[in-house]
Amino acid sequence: MTMEEIIGFVAALDGVLTLRPQPGDGSPEISWGDTYFYYAPDGVTPVNVQPFATVVTKNYPGDETSRLERPDVFRVNIATGKEEFVRWTGHTPREPATGQDPGATDTLIAHPLYGTMGWLAVLNPGPRTEATTRDLLRTAYDLARARYERRAAPN
């Protein structure tokens, strides 16, 4: 899967707001070239809400273990929730991830930093992880949509 295929897949889901920071839009320079997905059917960037998935193209301070400085390497980060996290890692988000190489491509891993919050990640999804990546992106979307609908429901 290319980065554009992933972005197109997620952006096509109903109610998704796709943010692609670039120079001149007021976003921090570190975020330029990355992509953030929110469930926002009104098209307004939510406040106090994390994206349900991201595609990052570079290392961030404190998050260098995936070695995203390598040419053509990107990481898909997915807020899968505890159930899917446990299903795919065999441990709860609070337990440390062991035996994984955060720089391995086409391999599903606990996110190097946000695994403790139930996030999974995959570098350059390929034949081994493409279907799983799509399924997990759909799961994260469904969770984000459900949270949005709960918040929007009248008390």
Side-chain angles (χ1 to χ4, degrees):
M1 290 180 88
T2 67
M3 196 165 66
E4 289 305 317
E5 288 172 328
I6 293 163
I7 293 166
F9 171 77
V10 179
L13 298 171
D14 185 50
V16 169
L17 174 64
T18 303
L19 299 180
R20 298 183 83 172
Q22 57 188 337
D25 68 4
S27 61
E29 184 175 350
I30 187 85
S31 67
W32 297 350
D34 296 339
T35 306
Y36 304 84
F37 302 103
Y38 294 89
Y39 182 76
D42 58 5
V44 177
T45 305
V47 293
N48 301 323
V49 174
Q50 292 288 334
F52 68 85
T54 65
V55 178
V56 296
T57 59
K58 69 192 82 56
N59 294 323
Y60 279 71
D63 183 13
E64 296 91 7
T65 60
S66 292
R67 303 184 314 274
L68 296 175
E69 74 281 355
R70 295 175 288 168
D72 302 316
V73 175
F74 64 92
R75 187 177 66 211
V76 181
N77 305 309
I78 312 166
T80 58
K82 183 179 178 181
E83 185 178 311
E84 287 298 312
F85 184 92
V86 171
R87 177 176 171 222
W88 288 100
T89 66
H91 62 84
T92 66
R94 298 270 181 223
E95 296 173 77
T98 58
Q100 70 177 25
D101 175 2
T105 59
D106 199 18
T107 303
L108 187 67
I109 61 169
H111 187 285
L113 289 183
Y114 302 119
T116 58
M117 297 182 339
W119 283 68
L120 294 173
V122 61
L123 277 69
N124 294 44
R128 289 186 305 202
T129 59
E130 179 176 355
T132 300
T133 299
R134 287 180 192 275
D135 290 346
L136 291 171
L137 286 166
R138 173 63 88 160
T139 297
Y141 163 81
D142 290 341
L143 290 170
R145 184 176 181 159
R147 277 190 301 275
Y148 177 92
E149 289 172 353
R150 277 194 309 274
R151 289 182 180 136
N155 291 332

